[in-house]
């Protein structure tokens, strides 16, 4: 194995979250509450992506911490959303895994330089206003790999 390749490991700071497609957001949030005592840390609707989402985790989780890892529950807003299509084809379950970066532009440039396909030519806005992009599943071992750069704290 060649370890002399310059790998931009400093761009990826942690596993941010795993995304789970669910048909009923309230029921899914309740499962994590009753089974594990977890709470809904953040909830929002993303009209562009056609989803309503909730970030769930332990009550004392700081979702902005550099080592935070939470679960993102994704429910479709309508039958045309990608989550509705996912649920129809595969049923509820793991939809994506997300890595946090502190330099989206440099990471995307590095990945493109390796021939890795990204779903968007430019990052879009995601949860909490974060910049997001996705690595094509065919280039990430069959996993839809989300990249997120959260909004910088003041």
């Amino acid at each position: 194995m060649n370890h002399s390749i310059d790998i931009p490991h400093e761009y990826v700071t942690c596993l941010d979250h795993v995304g789970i497609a669910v048909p009923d957001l309230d029921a899914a949030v309740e499962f994590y509450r009753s089974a594990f005592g977890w709470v809904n840390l953040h909830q929002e609707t993303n009209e562009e992506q056609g989803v309503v989402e909730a970030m769930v985790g332990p009550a004392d989780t700081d979702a902005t911490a550099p080592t935070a890892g939470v679960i993102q529950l994704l429910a479709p807003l309508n039958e045309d959303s990608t989550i509705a299509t996912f649920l129809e084809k595969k049923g509820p379950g793991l939809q994506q895994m997300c890595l946090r970066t502190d330099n989206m532009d440099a990471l995307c440039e590095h990945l493109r330089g390796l021939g890795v396909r990204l779903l968007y030519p430019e990052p879009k806005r995601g949860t909490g206003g974060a910049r997001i992009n996705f690595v094509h599943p065919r280039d990430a071992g069959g996993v839809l790999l989300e990249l997120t750069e959260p909004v910088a704290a003041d």
Side-chain angles (χ1 to χ4, degrees):
M1 178 175 243
N2 183 356
H3 292 285
S4 65
I5 298 172
D6 182 29
I7 305 292
H9 59 277
E10 68 273 11
Y11 299 147
V12 177
T13 59
C14 69
L15 173 66
D16 191 82
H17 65 268
V18 290
I20 300 175
V22 300
D24 182 331
L25 188 67
D26 293 334
V29 169
E30 175 55 24
F31 168 77
Y32 285 94
R33 187 204 63 75
S34 63
F36 307 112
W38 284 15
V39 298
N40 187 340
L41 300 165
H42 175 84
Q43 185 167 326
E44 70 180 78
T45 298
N46 185 322
E47 296 283 346
E48 181 183 2
Q49 295 186 14
V51 299
V52 59
E53 62 181 82
M55 295 293 205
V56 298
D60 61 352
T61 300
D62 176 358
T64 64
T67 58
V70 296
I71 294 176
Q72 178 186 46
L73 302 170
L74 300 153
L77 282 177
N78 56 55
E79 61 190 33
D80 298 325
S81 78
T82 57
I83 294 299
T85 302
F86 180 93
L87 288 166
E88 184 177 308
K89 288 182 180 179
K90 298 181 181 186
L94 185 64
Q95 187 264 343
Q96 44 93 349
M97 181 176 80
C98 181
L99 300 176
R100 186 182 304 173
T101 180
D102 58 7
N103 192 334
M104 178 70 75
D105 296 325
L107 181 57
C108 288
E109 181 180 337
H110 172 74
L111 292 170
R112 285 188 181 107
L114 295 175
V116 173
R117 291 170 286 180
L118 300 176
L119 297 190
Y120 307 139
E122 296 296 325
K124 293 189 176 196
R125 290 288 167 195
T127 304
R131 296 175 71 213
I132 63 167
N133 209 332
F134 292 87
V135 174
H136 195 289
R138 289 189 183 127
D139 293 345
V143 175
L144 179 60
L145 186 59
E146 182 179 3
L147 308 172
T148 186
E149 182 180 18
V151 175
D154 291 334

